[in-house]
Amino acid sequence: MRKIISFMHISLDGFVAGPNGEMNWIHVDEEIFDHVGKRISETDTALYGRVTYQMMEAYWPNAGDKPNASQHDINHSKWYNNAHKIVLSTTMNGAGLTNTTIIGDNISNEINKIKQVTGSEILVFGSPKATHSLIQQNLIDGYWLFVNPIILGQGIPLFTGIKDKINLKLLSTRQFASGVTELNYNLLKK
């Protein structure tokens, strides 16, 4: 069965964005891009909430074609265009969208069907609201977190509305020169 892994940058105090959705505190550089790019290249499916999907769709399809495109933009644009995209949204429809599935209701049933289809892990990119919904329905199988060396004090938390404790197993860590620390966890099933 395929796993759903939440891929997030997070502050030391557990926020994925500032109070107004700010993400200017997230540190990314070539070292992080190269590391993340290797794992993403082995993934064939991305899951987004509507807002994150629309942000990605506005940039990535043509990012690699720009004259000043970085190697990261070229590689990620190619991956993005080939990856299957799943979008959790009650307001979008799939008409005219290439290689994209919209899930508006029965999220648990629809995600569990997708998890049964042959393929790689499914990475949830950002998308705090979608991630909250997936967590509350016990659909996340692991967390791939990039802890940034900052305390925001307030913002959008990664973990909210949790009713029962979630036991995790640490699979790996990595410290980057920037001070960002990668933490890779799988859920321990009950």
Side-chain angles (χ1 to χ4, degrees):
M1 181 183 324
R2 298 168 82 180
K3 291 184 177 185
I4 294 184
I5 308 296
S6 177
F7 168 55
M8 292 273 190
H9 280 270
I10 187 169
S11 67
L12 187 59
D13 54 345
F15 296 106
V16 297
N20 299 307
E22 306 92 337
M23 295 185 291
N24 58 348
W25 53 271
I26 293 173
H27 183 84
V28 290
D29 57 22
E30 289 304 314
E31 182 186 21
I32 294 172
F33 281 148
D34 289 346
H35 178 69
V36 170
K38 288 174 187 162
R39 182 165 178 181
I40 289 175
S41 70
E42 298 171 3
T43 301
D44 61 10
T45 306
L47 192 150
Y48 303 101
R50 178 190 56 80
V51 172
T52 303
Y53 171 76
Q54 289 174 331
M55 182 176 65
M56 297 295 185
E57 191 65 15
Y59 183 76
W60 287 114
N62 302 312
D65 300 333
K66 296 179 181 174
N68 60 344
S70 68
Q71 191 60 50
H72 166 71
D73 282 4
I74 293 167
N75 294 343
H76 195 73
S77 179
K78 181 179 177 182
W79 174 83
Y80 180 86
N81 288 325
N82 291 320
H84 182 75
K85 291 161 274 299
I86 301 166
V87 183
L88 302 185
S89 174
T90 57
T91 60
M92 288 179 65
N93 72 48
L97 299 177
T98 305
N99 206 14
T100 303
T101 301
I102 307 295
I103 299 176
D105 53 12
N106 297 319
I107 292 172
S108 184
N109 290 339
E110 295 302 316
I111 292 294
N112 281 318
K113 285 180 197 173
I114 291 168
K115 288 172 100 174
Q116 300 301 320
V117 176
T118 302
S120 70
E121 68 186 3
I122 300 164
L123 287 178
V124 182
F125 287 89
S127 307
K129 287 183 184 177
T131 300
H132 295 155
S133 177
L134 294 168
I135 290 170
Q136 290 166 3
Q137 296 181 58
N138 297 315
L139 295 170
I140 301 275
D141 300 294
Y143 295 92
W144 187 25
L145 305 176
F146 286 78
V147 181
N148 284 251
I150 189 169
I151 296 171
L152 296 178
Q154 59 181 334
I156 300 170
L158 174 55
F159 300 106
T160 186
I162 308 263
K163 295 176 180 79
D164 295 317
K165 69 179 177 180
I166 300 171
N167 293 310
L168 303 170
K169 177 181 180 181
L170 182 63
L171 301 177
S172 64
T173 64
R174 179 171 173 167
Q175 178 75 43
F176 296 94
S178 63
V180 172
T181 301
E182 172 197 28
L183 301 173
N184 191 4
Y185 291 98
N186 267 352
L187 259 66
L188 292 174
K189 298 294 181 183
K190 295 178 183 179

